[in-house]
Amino acid sequence: MKNPCRKILAGVLATAMVLVGSAVQAKSLTLCWAAWDPANALVELSKDFTKQSGIEMKFEFVPWTSYADRFLNELNSHSKLCDLIIGDSQWVGGAAENGHYVKLNDFFDKNGIKMSDFAAPTVVGYSEWPKNTPNYWALPAMGDAVGWTYRKDWFGRPELRAEFKTKYGHDLAPPTNWDEFLQVAKFFQNRVIDGKKVYGAYIFTERGSEGITMGVTNVMYDYGFEYENPKKPYELNGFVNSPGAVKGLEIYKQIFDCCTAPGMTNAYMSEGLDAFKSGQVAMQMNWFAFFPGLYKAMGPDKIGFFVNPAGPAGHFTQLGGQGLSVVSYSDNRAEALQYMKWFAQPAVQKKWWSLGGYSCLNAVLNDPSFPASAPFAADFLASMNMVKDFWAEPIYATLLLDMQKRIHDYVVANKGTAQDALNGLTKDWTRDFKDAGK
Amino acid sequence: MAAVSTATAARPSQATRSGGISDRGIAWLFITPTILLLLAINIFPLIWTVRMSLTNYKANMGWMKYRFVGIDNYVDILTDPDIWDAMQTTARFVFWSITLEVLLGFGLALLINRKFRGHSFWTTVILLPMMLSPAVVGNFWTFLFQPQSGLFNYVVSFFTGIDPASFQMIGDVKLAPWSIVLVDVWMWTPYVMLICLAGLRSIPDYIYEAAEVDRASAWRRFWSITLPMVMPFLMLAVLFRGIENFKMFDMVNLLTNGGPGSLTETVSITLKRAAFEKWQTGWSSALAIILFLTVFGAANIYIKVLNSVKRR
């Protein structure tokens, strides 16, 4: 290195290499979601995006039990951890009003992404805030709803079918309403099958996050529960605690008391999967998102699927699922939007479904081959057309905690009556909305 | 040297040193860091909490404006039936755990106070539970209480013949409160025993010898000598355990998390839920102040009673 020009040239080259290197390194995106089977499918799917764009995908998946706490804290602290987030449907109000998500209307218009191409309930549930207005904060990414699995092999046993028919006067089959559900659940409760005591049904009872609320609403909607006066927003009295809502809550408690396995007092998704896989229960409530994995694990002879039963006031089911949003604090907004544009393509959506994710794109759902594409596909389609969701208000977490407490106190801890529980809930929610200035 | 010594001896109350700092100055120099630390980690947070308790502040939305709401939070808490439920749950837990710990701890202390073979070994064995971390104990007992695989149900089944899968300790409405009491008693009875043992060892032998000369029965010796002389120690144990159990959080959180429903929701669990799940920072600050005043007031009254017992 005797020549000073060489030294300068080497220095310039080294600096340039560092700069180029860091620029290349910056081409990566972090996507945040819950740790579950569909997340693994998304990792697989996203490899195609990396191949096409050269942008590396990183993932931050956390267990469901801490999913909301963790990511809402990240958003509230304006963290740059997540460039993209697949956030729960209830978060959209808070995330929109507090500026956590990027508003996507202009981006959708510019790139020809039409919300009419997606299933209407998923657009309302995952993307819109305020609800039923064309203000979009997420792309419907993972459709989901509560559905049911049943032990196909037990339901098919001739001796059990004959006994059931003698007792109830109709065939032993997946129930279509809550009266039938109770009959089937009672029929299997404490029955010995293959030398093992089994139980009627598995339902959500978890207290800590959202479990019992996501379970009880499936019955309460069918009996007439409404979150508010449909004609006068935030008027709760007489809707949250209506006679129908009270009856629905009583039915849920009846199922819990008569037909669940001992110890299921604080159980949610994974406990249900374990109970069903181990042959403990005849029918299991759970999210459709788990059904591909469950079907794979149990095989076609043992597992069957059915939609949430109907009630006297209608036929509904609880909406799950999430939308894909761009976090407004991200330094990689352009790349994040690029990922969203790629994800919205029909070919990618089709592959998403084939890998185990639940696409919300009409082109996939309305394809004539869709209902037969998986044993649970037709039920999923039917369920997505009858979904209702919990509040998506910015204060949804407070509303949810109140409902968790009131419902768990009544159903599991035998505290008071169903009417007391829902009157208390009405009072809590009225206070919460008042505090929030609504 | 002699001159210096004489000079120093002649002025013993002199307040200045050769460096120019007075004794009082040196004293302040030494205690100022401690006072500053105390102010920073105790007094300032307390004042800040009082201030927060008069607002509707939410810590998870720190960027949003909050407003002063006066004593609304205090009124809301004191008129909330759920808070009174949690207070009652806490009171029942404190009452039953302390009652059992005192009875068993005192009984064990009476036994351990005697000389027998393996005395030291058994004392160590009895003291083991209190040496464990509450988090470890909570997790450990959660596994023991599992209805299908937990050892506890099988032990009960072995002695009673009840089907081990037919009952559950932490999920059952009737048994859940007792499961917490049971674990607390298991862990902290040795602590009460240790304090009682100190009390028993402090009773001079000559008092018992005098009682024997007077032909006092064992029962009479217990009521007239042992119990009154151990009483201040017992009361001290009750004070320590009372304060600890009033703010009990870790074990309840791990064992039942306040469930089923809110049946075992002690007031500390309520506070945690309001502060870190609902993020009602203002409201939970008010609840924390109320709890602080309750413990502070009750402990003061109790210490006065304790002192009067000691004087007797």
Side-chain angles (χ1 to χ4, degrees):
Chain A
M1 285 280 180
K2 284 176 186 172
N3 185 349
C5 285
R6 275 189 173 182
K7 277 186 183 175
I8 292 166
L9 191 64
V12 169
L13 272 173
T15 312
M17 279 171 75
V18 168
L19 286 173
V20 169
S22 58
V24 168
Q25 268 186 341
K27 272 199 153 189
S28 73
L29 288 172
T30 302
L31 190 151
C32 299
W33 199 12
W36 60 335
D37 288 350
N40 300 330
L42 189 66
V43 172
E44 200 55 38
L45 183 74
S46 299
K47 285 176 183 167
D48 292 350
F49 173 72
T50 303
K51 212 181 281 174
Q52 282 178 25
S53 64
I55 298 171
E56 188 197 346
M57 289 302 294
K58 292 179 182 168
F59 298 91
E60 185 74 18
F61 298 147
V62 299
W64 274 110
T65 43
S66 48
Y67 165 70
D69 278 350
R70 168 77 194 283
F71 290 131
L72 288 176
N73 283 341
E74 294 284 348
L75 292 174
N76 286 327
S77 61
H78 298 189
S79 148
K80 292 176 188 292
L81 171 77
C82 312
D83 298 304
L84 289 151
I85 191 163
I86 301 190
D88 234 345
S89 54
Q90 296 99 7
W91 302 0
V92 68
E97 291 198 8
N98 297 320
H100 301 326
Y101 289 172
V102 172
K103 193 173 183 184
L104 299 167
N105 287 50
D106 291 345
F107 167 74
F108 286 165
D109 291 344
K110 212 171 158 185
N111 290 282
I113 299 171
K114 290 182 202 146
M115 282 295 102
S116 56
D117 289 343
F118 290 84
T122 66
V123 176
V124 178
Y126 311 151
S127 304
E128 290 179 356
W129 186 260
K131 293 291 172 198
N132 300 306
T133 67
N135 294 286
Y136 307 118
W137 305 89
L139 181 86
M142 172 74 194
D144 203 1
V146 165
W148 291 85
T149 62
Y150 69 99
R151 284 299 298 252
K152 207 170 163 185
D153 50 340
W154 298 354
F155 276 58
R157 292 193 179 195
E159 72 279 12
L160 294 182
R161 293 179 69 81
E163 188 186 331
F164 187 87
K165 188 149 192 179
T166 311
K167 198 169 180 184
Y168 296 108
H170 60 92
D171 286 334
L172 175 58
T176 55
N177 61 53
W178 290 106
D179 291 336
E180 286 177 14
F181 184 92
L182 275 164
Q183 288 172 358
V184 176
K186 283 176 185 169
F187 179 75
F188 279 105
Q189 183 72 5
N190 292 324
R191 184 170 287 273
V192 176
I193 294 180
D194 299 333
K196 192 176 159 189
K197 192 195 266 189
V198 304
Y199 302 93
Y202 169 83
I203 56 174
F204 297 158
T205 57
E206 185 253 11
R207 166 75 167 85
S209 60
E210 58 170 23
I212 200 163
T213 300
M214 294 295 113
V216 76
T217 46
N218 293 286
V219 189
M220 287 171 67
Y221 293 149
D222 288 351
Y223 279 82
F225 168 80
E226 297 274 2
Y227 287 101
E228 59 189 335
N229 183 347
K231 290 173 188 159
K232 195 177 173 194
Y234 305 115
E235 185 181 293
L236 312 176
N237 198 23
F239 296 88
V240 171
N241 53 352
S242 66
V246 171
K247 181 71 184 160
L249 178 54
E250 285 170 350
I251 296 284
Y252 200 74
K253 179 163 175 58
Q254 203 182 332
I255 297 168
F256 174 76
D257 287 341
C258 79
C259 308
T260 57
M264 290 294 175
T265 54
N266 189 26
Y268 197 20
M269 307 177 244
S270 58
E271 289 85 356
L273 298 172
D274 291 343
F276 192 74
K277 274 195 274 194
S278 64
Q280 195 184 30
V281 290
M283 297 180 287
Q284 178 213 189
M285 165 190 273
N286 222 320
W287 299 103
F288 272 96
F290 292 107
F291 293 174
L294 205 53
Y295 180 73
K296 208 174 167 185
M298 297 189 70
D301 298 335
K302 283 188 176 175
I303 187 170
F305 306 89
F306 62 97
V307 296
N308 194 49
H315 195 190
F316 302 98
T317 196
Q318 175 61 46
L319 178 72
Q322 298 89 29
L324 174 68
S325 298
V326 175
V327 177
S328 57
Y329 317 113
S330 163
D331 292 331
N332 306 310
R333 186 181 293 195
E335 288 83 1
L337 289 168
Q338 193 181 338
Y339 180 89
M340 189 175 274
K341 187 182 170 187
W342 167 83
F343 185 74
Q345 295 172 83
V348 176
Q349 287 289 310
K350 204 167 183 181
K351 189 169 181 186
W352 175 222
W353 166 244
S354 71
L355 288 172
Y358 280 81
S359 171
C360 305
L361 194 71
N362 286 329
V364 176
L365 299 175
N366 296 339
D367 188 299
S369 66
F370 182 82
S373 60
F376 40 83
D379 288 328
F380 171 68
L381 208 52
S383 295
M384 289 310 285
N385 287 319
M386 55 188 219
V387 286
K388 274 197 182 190
D389 199 9
F390 189 75
W391 293 105
E393 295 281 333
I395 55 161
Y396 98 91
T398 308
L399 302 169
L400 182 62
L401 286 165
D402 288 335
M403 187 157 180
Q404 286 285 106
K405 177 182 161 56
R406 295 290 176 190
I407 301 296
H408 207 267
D409 268 350
Y410 169 66
V411 174
V412 178
N414 301 325
K415 197 173 171 185
T417 63
Q419 187 72 62
D420 293 340
L422 294 181
N423 286 347
L425 183 62
T426 309
K427 202 175 123 205
D428 294 344
W429 281 0
T430 305
R431 186 198 57 212
D432 294 339
F433 282 122
K434 193 180 157 201
D435 288 349
K438 302 266 181 168
Chain B
M1 274 307 277
V4 173
S5 301
T6 312
T8 308
R11 293 180 292 166
S13 61
Q14 187 184 26
T16 55
R17 302 264 174 208
S18 55
I21 304 172
S22 66
D23 284 352
R24 184 176 285 269
I26 288 172
W28 273 108
L29 202 66
F30 279 115
I31 62 168
T32 301
T34 312
I35 289 175
L36 288 176
L37 198 67
L38 198 69
L39 283 170
I41 63 171
N42 273 348
I43 309 299
F44 173 72
L46 186 67
I47 294 168
W48 189 257
T49 309
V50 172
R51 185 174 173 270
M52 282 291 104
S53 74
L54 303 172
T55 70
N56 65 347
Y57 179 64
K58 282 175 174 274
N60 68 330
M61 294 184 182
W63 69 89
M64 287 178 82
K65 277 187 182 172
Y66 60 87
R67 60 188 169 84
F68 280 86
V69 294
I71 58 164
D72 283 5
N73 287 331
Y74 289 91
V75 174
D76 191 39
I77 289 165
L78 294 172
T79 54
D80 186 346
D82 290 339
I83 293 294
W84 289 105
D85 276 355
M87 288 281 195
Q88 282 178 30
T89 303
T90 310
R92 277 194 293 270
F93 167 63
V94 170
F95 175 79
W96 284 111
S97 57
I98 290 180
T99 303
L100 292 171
E101 279 162 25
V102 166
L103 288 175
L104 291 172
F106 192 35
L108 282 172
L110 286 171
L111 288 174
I112 289 290
N113 197 33
R114 297 175 181 194
K115 292 279 174 227
F116 57 90
R117 186 193 284 262
H119 169 272
S120 304
F121 171 76
W122 287 111
T123 307
T124 311
V125 167
I126 291 170
L127 291 178
L128 274 177
M130 64 171 268
M131 295 175 192
L132 299 170
S133 145
V136 172
V137 171
N139 272 320
F140 169 68
W141 276 92
T142 306
F143 287 117
L144 287 182
F145 282 145
Q146 288 299 319
Q148 268 85 27
S149 55
L151 193 65
F152 184 84
N153 285 28
Y154 284 94
V155 171
V156 172
S157 168
F158 179 78
F159 287 108
T160 61
I162 299 169
D163 177 8
S166 67
F167 69 100
Q168 42 166 334
M169 289 299 289
I170 50 181
D172 187 275
V173 175
K174 286 179 187 148
L175 297 175
W178 290 107
S179 66
I180 297 170
V181 171
L182 176 73
V183 176
D184 194 76
V185 168
W186 177 82
M187 186 171 180
W188 292 111
T189 294
Y191 177 75
V192 177
M193 183 202 81
L194 212 58
I195 293 178
C196 292
L197 201 60
L200 288 171
R201 298 261 163 95
S202 72
I203 303 173
D205 288 343
Y206 69 82
I207 299 180
Y208 286 113
E209 286 160 13
E212 269 179 40
V213 169
D214 290 343
R215 296 192 173 181
S217 66
W219 188 242
R220 182 64 194 262
R221 285 201 300 272
F222 175 78
W223 277 111
S224 304
I225 301 170
T226 311
L227 195 59
M229 297 199 79
V230 175
M231 189 55 85
F233 290 86
L234 265 178
M235 289 185 73
L236 209 59
V238 169
L239 177 70
F240 290 155
R241 292 306 309 141
I243 292 172
E244 273 296 307
N245 281 3
F246 188 81
K247 59 189 177 68
M248 168 62 73
F249 172 77
D250 38 17
M251 206 119 78
V252 180
N253 194 44
L254 283 162
L255 280 171
T256 63
N257 195 20
S262 46
L263 208 75
T264 59
E265 189 172 305
T266 57
V267 76
S268 308
I269 299 279
T270 308
L271 181 56
K272 169 247 185 178
R273 284 195 168 137
F276 302 112
E277 289 178 11
K278 289 187 176 181
W279 295 99
Q280 296 172 320
T281 315
W283 190 92
S284 48
S285 298
L287 180 56
I289 295 294
I290 289 171
L291 295 183
F292 169 71
L293 291 176
T294 309
V295 175
F296 189 74
N300 263 304
I301 294 167
Y302 190 86
I303 287 168
K304 278 190 180 150
V305 175
L306 176 67
N307 287 337
S308 72
V309 169
K310 270 188 189 169
R311 276 197 293 273
R312 270 192 267 142

